[in-house]
């Protein structure tokens, strides 16, 4: 239609199916081209802020949580922001990896295989774990608590939503512990509940 009304257009050879096949294939090999400096540490130790600060200083970074629209933990969903589809996330990872310079190190956060509902490309996870250089990031407990209160402060306006997410920890931590945290959240005792979750 666009070409019929005067626009210069091009068509992807093989269509979208061929494009998806290329993304899938290249996600198997692209991760091996780079050297990774992997920021490791507990939730709330400031890894994401450090990654952004490194990017601001001109370092080469790969922000997987930013691409996934999720912080990666049980409580990691970003307010008012849905995650992209798996296919879209794959494409974003492929674009990011394609744009990196193999001659320079890439700073990236250590991630599990899933960020929220999305799977990180397996070849990338293997490269980070088997060949990445881990940089352990630590923050004193009091500073870590303050950072968590800032990063997850939006839950103060949605204590019930927070309590629903905590249900995902029942199997790991037990019903009684989760009930205690839920009661603290409903009472507005955010420092106490996040302090407990840190432990």
């Amino acid at each position: 239609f666009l070409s019929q009304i005067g626009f210069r257009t091009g068509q992807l050879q093989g269509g979208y199916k061929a494009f998806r096949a290329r993304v899938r294939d290249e996600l198997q090999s692209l991760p091996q081209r780079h050297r990774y400096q992997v920021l490791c540490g507990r939730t709330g130790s400031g890894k994401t802020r450090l990654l952004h600060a490194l990017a601001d200083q001109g370092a080469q970074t790969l922000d997987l949580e930013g691409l996934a629209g999720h912080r990666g933990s049980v409580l990691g969903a970003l307010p008012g922001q849905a995650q992209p589809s798996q296919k879209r996330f794959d494409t974003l990872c492929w674009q990011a990896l394609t744009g990196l310079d193999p001659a320079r190190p890439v700073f990236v956060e250590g991630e599990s295989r899933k960020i929220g509902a999305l799977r990180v490309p397996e070849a990338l996870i293997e490269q980070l774990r088997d060949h990445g250089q881990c940089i352990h990031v630590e923050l004193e407990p009091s500073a870590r608590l303050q950072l968590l209160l800032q990063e997850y402060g939006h839950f103060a306006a949605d204590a019930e939503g927070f309590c629903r997410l905590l249900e995902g920890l029942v199997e790991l931590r037990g019903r009684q512990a989760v009930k205690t945290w839920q009661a603290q959240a409903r009472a507005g005792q955010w420092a106490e509940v996040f302090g407990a979750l840190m432990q």
Side-chain angles (χ1 to χ4, degrees):
F1 291 137
L2 288 171
S3 63
Q4 288 172 13
I5 60 172
F7 284 91
R8 292 178 62 186
T9 62
Q11 189 170 353
L12 206 60
Q13 269 192 333
Y16 178 70
K17 222 173 176 179
F19 173 71
R20 278 291 301 156
R22 179 176 175 181
V23 168
R24 278 196 311 270
D25 290 347
E26 291 191 6
L27 280 176
Q28 298 301 311
S29 58
L30 276 171
Q32 285 87 34
R33 294 184 189 175
H34 305 289
R35 292 175 295 120
Y36 299 96
Q37 304 287 311
V38 186
L39 305 180
C40 306
R42 294 176 159 183
T43 299
S45 52
K47 300 183 299 295
T48 301
R49 291 190 182 191
L50 176 56
L51 190 71
H52 293 166
L54 287 164
D56 289 344
Q57 292 299 311
Q60 193 165 233
T61 62
L62 177 61
D63 185 0
L64 292 170
E65 291 182 359
L67 298 179
H70 197 281
R71 289 197 180 104
S73 64
V74 172
L75 304 173
L78 300 174
Q81 182 178 333
Q83 287 195 269
S85 68
Q86 183 66 53
K87 287 179 180 178
R88 177 67 179 146
F89 178 62
D90 290 344
T91 301
L92 291 171
C93 289
W94 172 77
Q95 287 176 323
L97 288 165
T98 302
L100 296 173
D101 178 0
R104 299 171 60 211
V106 178
F107 290 89
V108 60
E109 282 188 66
E111 300 290 352
S112 61
R113 284 185 151 75
K114 289 185 80 177
I115 302 177
L118 301 174
R119 293 181 314 280
V120 178
E122 190 62 28
L124 178 57
I125 284 289
E126 288 175 7
Q127 196 68 17
L128 297 181
R129 293 185 176 177
D130 297 344
H131 303 287
Q133 180 183 355
C134 179
I135 299 171
H136 195 73
V137 180
E138 291 185 14
L139 202 59
E140 289 187 0
S142 59
R144 196 169 150 229
L145 177 58
Q146 288 308 309
L147 192 143
L148 285 169
L149 290 170
Q150 291 171 22
E151 296 288 329
Y152 295 91
H154 58 276
F155 283 121
D158 184 19
E160 288 308 315
F162 178 83
C163 290
R164 281 192 299 276
L165 291 172
L166 289 179
E167 290 290 328
L169 296 175
V170 168
E171 190 176 326
L172 191 63
R173 294 293 175 219
R175 169 60 62 193
Q176 190 52 53
V178 168
K179 282 179 74 172
T180 299
W181 299 334
Q182 289 170 329
Q184 289 173 324
R186 289 182 177 116
Q189 298 171 341
W190 295 104
E192 289 81 357
V193 72
F194 277 111
L197 287 169
M198 273 173 50
Q199 296 304 315

